[in-house]
Amino acid sequence: MKKLLFTILFLGFCLNNCYSQVTGAAALVALDEIDATMTRQLQTIDNLATNAIGNAGNMMLSLSASLRKDINETIGNTDKLLRENQLALFNQVQNLSSDLDKAIKEDIENIDVVATKISEAADGLFYKKKEPRIFKYETETFIKGYSKSYTFKVKGKNFDQTESMYIVLNSKKIKPTQTNYSELIFRIDSADIPAARENSYYADAKIVFNWRKGLFRVKKVKQEPFLIPIAPFNIGELTVFYEQKLPEKKFSDYISYSCECKTSTSDWLGNQDSNTVVFNLNPTGGRLFDPASVEKVSWYQRYGGGHKFDHTTEQQIKGKITCKSDGKPRGGRGLSTLTFRYKEMETIYPIHKKQTAIQKITAINPSVVVLPDPVDNNRPNINYALVKTFDNKEIVLTPSKTDKLFDLRINPVTDDIIISWKRQPL
């Protein structure tokens, strides 16, 4: 009975605890995967436009680095289980990483809340009283080929307790321009930021703190990794899709018209009788004639006569036919007939769907897309703008919907489309 009770209690303990145990080796692998995910997210158009992603992402990297350092200094890359406080932080890191990933993809407005949680986790576990610690990164986007310098702020505590602190970037040590207990400000010259690797839009860097611990002032070194987002000057390509009512000629089928000319007989001396018949047509139903379509179908004259078109315009078809009797005494009656055909036309305004030529959209200046002038008071009407970004995203912009990355405006006078990237300053 005692053995059965012990077994039940052990199983209950395992259900709550055994499956949550993680070895040092497994934890280090998982942390590497989290870092890789953060790195990918930090080099997207989303991050480059929204500094909050970079701030939270760098805090995530910093928290991961602190846990990795503690694991390596205690149980190392072994099959030993994480200690209780290490396991608590490991689970927290995983949850926060998931929350951050969700915020980036679905709810960017909530990312500052996640960043605050990351800072609280960083403040709560392994740090000693005098150890410098970072609670918040404030990054700006470095624009390749444009930015002359890069400003980087770090907020935390115990910065005044360090003997020295500097950024290591591209094998160079860069000291802060301003320091106090809770804030560091670095200004990095553009020449010191390495070119981004192909298909990578960030530079690796780290902050190094040299400080002393304990009664015997033991020298300590702490390194905090972070990434500098690097945006290309041309961040994408832009195409505007629009529609406009444009005039087109709509033609009727051929319409036939016939006219006839008759005379009396010639007199007993053979003097001919002659006659002239005038035709004068106007288009119907508010339409116009197509002058180029007017053509003779048939012409007949018995003893003489002719035909002539005096006017063939869009508003009028005018002419005449003549006829004569036979030139003999008491000659026969004259007769001529003319049949011609023509088309009428009207102007209609069907909607034409069009698109502009592809143009570059830069990280700095708004892109202006010139749409055609109104035609017969019919102005172009934008359907949407398509931005294809440097990281292979396709972003659809419309006048009626706000986008988190790009701003779309329409000049009410010229109908030009103005699109700019919502790059946030530090």
Side-chain angles (χ1 to χ4, degrees):
M1 186 67 182
K2 289 182 179 181
K3 184 176 181 180
L4 177 60
L5 180 60
F6 174 81
T7 302
I8 293 173
L9 291 174
F10 177 78
L11 288 174
F13 175 83
C14 278
L15 286 174
N16 291 319
N17 297 280
C18 292
Y19 291 109
S20 63
Q21 298 304 306
V22 180
T23 66
L28 293 174
V29 170
L31 292 174
D32 288 342
E33 292 177 353
I34 289 172
D35 289 354
T37 299
M38 284 297 101
T39 300
R40 285 194 299 270
Q41 290 169 334
L42 287 173
Q43 63 174 332
T44 63
I45 185 71
D46 304 70
N47 170 55
L48 296 180
T50 309
N51 292 337
I53 299 177
N55 301 335
N58 274 325
M59 274 305 303
M60 197 73 240
L61 292 175
S62 178
L63 183 59
S64 172
S66 296
L67 177 56
R68 182 184 290 101
K69 179 175 180 291
D70 190 78
I71 292 173
N72 283 324
E73 289 178 351
T74 53
I75 61 176
N77 188 8
T78 67
D79 291 333
K80 293 181 180 180
L81 297 178
L82 296 182
R83 297 175 177 180
E84 183 178 351
N85 59 346
Q86 291 173 337
L87 180 60
L89 181 57
F90 176 75
N91 290 332
Q92 201 167 7
V93 166
Q94 286 192 311
N95 292 334
L96 289 170
S97 175
S98 177
D99 290 346
L100 182 56
D101 183 65
K102 184 177 180 181
I104 291 172
K105 294 177 179 177
E106 302 175 12
D107 185 17
I108 197 67
E109 302 299 328
N110 194 44
I111 197 164
D112 286 333
V113 175
V114 180
T116 300
K117 292 180 180 179
I118 297 172
S119 297
E120 291 172 351
D123 192 36
L125 287 164
F126 298 130
Y127 300 109
K128 304 300 181 183
K129 185 176 182 181
K130 299 296 183 180
E131 182 176 350
R133 64 193 80 172
I134 295 174
F135 297 153
K136 185 178 183 181
Y137 291 86
E138 291 185 357
T139 64
E140 65 178 6
T141 298
F142 178 80
I143 300 173
K144 185 178 180 181
Y146 177 83
S147 299
K148 302 304 179 184
S149 63
Y150 176 77
T151 301
F152 181 70
K153 293 183 182 179
V154 177
K155 294 187 176 183
K157 65 169 60 173
N158 294 335
F159 295 148
D160 60 340
Q161 300 295 322
T162 58
E163 291 185 342
S164 65
M165 65 197 81
Y166 49 86
I167 284 177
V168 177
L169 175 64
N170 205 18
S171 302
K172 183 177 180 178
K173 294 181 179 180
I174 302 169
K175 294 182 178 181
T177 56
Q178 296 182 40
T179 65
N180 58 43
Y181 170 79
S182 60
E183 183 178 78
L184 306 176
I185 299 178
F186 296 88
R187 188 170 296 278
I188 304 171
D189 189 88
S190 61
D192 295 327
I193 298 180
R197 294 160 288 181
E198 185 177 1
N199 297 324
S200 296
Y201 301 94
Y202 66 93
D204 294 291
K206 61 184 176 182
I207 301 178
V208 178
F209 296 97
N210 293 303
W211 60 293
R212 292 182 180 275
K213 175 185 178 182
L215 180 64
F216 299 101
R217 307 287 291 166
V218 178
K219 289 184 177 181
K220 291 288 184 178
V221 177
K222 181 178 182 180
Q223 299 183 0
E224 297 281 1
F226 69 95
L227 301 178
I228 296 176
I230 300 178
F233 184 79
N234 291 316
I235 58 172
E237 295 180 335
L238 171 64
T239 307
V240 173
F241 295 81
Y242 65 97
E243 59 185 30
Q244 187 174 15
K245 291 182 179 180
L246 297 176
E248 287 186 7
K249 299 295 185 182
K250 181 181 179 182
F251 298 91
S252 68
D253 294 332
Y254 272 107
I255 301 171
S256 293
Y257 180 83
S258 297
C259 54
E260 182 180 76
C261 178
K262 293 180 179 181
T263 69
S264 300
T265 59
S266 300
D267 63 16
W268 62 277
L269 292 176
N271 294 318
Q272 292 177 295
D273 186 25
S274 62
N275 191 19
T276 298
V277 174
V278 176
F279 54 85
N280 187 1
L281 283 72
N282 299 112
T284 60
R287 295 188 288 190
L288 299 173
F289 290 126
D290 174 19
S293 70
V294 178
E295 60 182 15
K296 179 180 68 177
V297 176
S298 65
W299 161 252
Y300 170 78
Q301 55 88 19
R302 182 181 292 169
Y303 299 116
H307 64 276
K308 180 182 179 182
F309 289 94
D310 297 321
H311 299 289
T312 53
T313 67
E314 291 183 346
Q315 290 78 27
Q316 184 183 46
I317 299 176
K318 183 178 180 181
K320 59 189 174 183
I321 61 174
T322 60
C323 53
K324 294 180 179 180
S325 61
D326 190 357
K328 299 176 182 180
R330 302 297 183 185
R333 298 172 185 273
L335 174 67
S336 64
T337 60
L338 171 67
T339 299
F340 63 90
R341 65 180 185 174
Y342 59 88
K343 288 182 178 181
E344 291 183 337
M345 62 182 183
E346 61 181 323
T347 302
I348 61 174
Y349 292 88
I351 294 176
H352 291 255
K353 293 187 178 295
K354 294 179 174 291
Q355 66 185 69
T356 62
I358 297 174
Q359 66 183 63
K360 300 290 185 182
I361 182 168
T362 72
I364 303 301
N365 301 314
S367 295
V368 179
V369 182
V370 179
L371 294 186
D373 293 331
V375 179
D376 295 345
N377 294 320
N378 292 308
R379 303 173 68 169
N381 179 46
I382 179 176
N383 296 125
Y384 63 93
L386 179 65
V387 177
K388 293 185 177 180
T389 64
F390 64 88
D391 57 341
N392 298 317
K393 284 188 173 63
E394 289 192 353
I395 299 172
V396 175
L397 308 174
T398 63
S400 60
K401 185 178 179 181
T402 302
D403 184 77
K404 66 181 180 180
L405 301 178
F406 293 93
D407 179 61
L408 184 152
R409 294 179 290 118
I410 301 176
N411 187 316
V413 177
T414 64
D415 294 317
D416 294 341
I417 309 301
I418 304 166
I419 295 178
S420 53
W421 180 31
K422 294 179 179 179
R423 183 173 65 91
Q424 298 179 3
L426 183 63

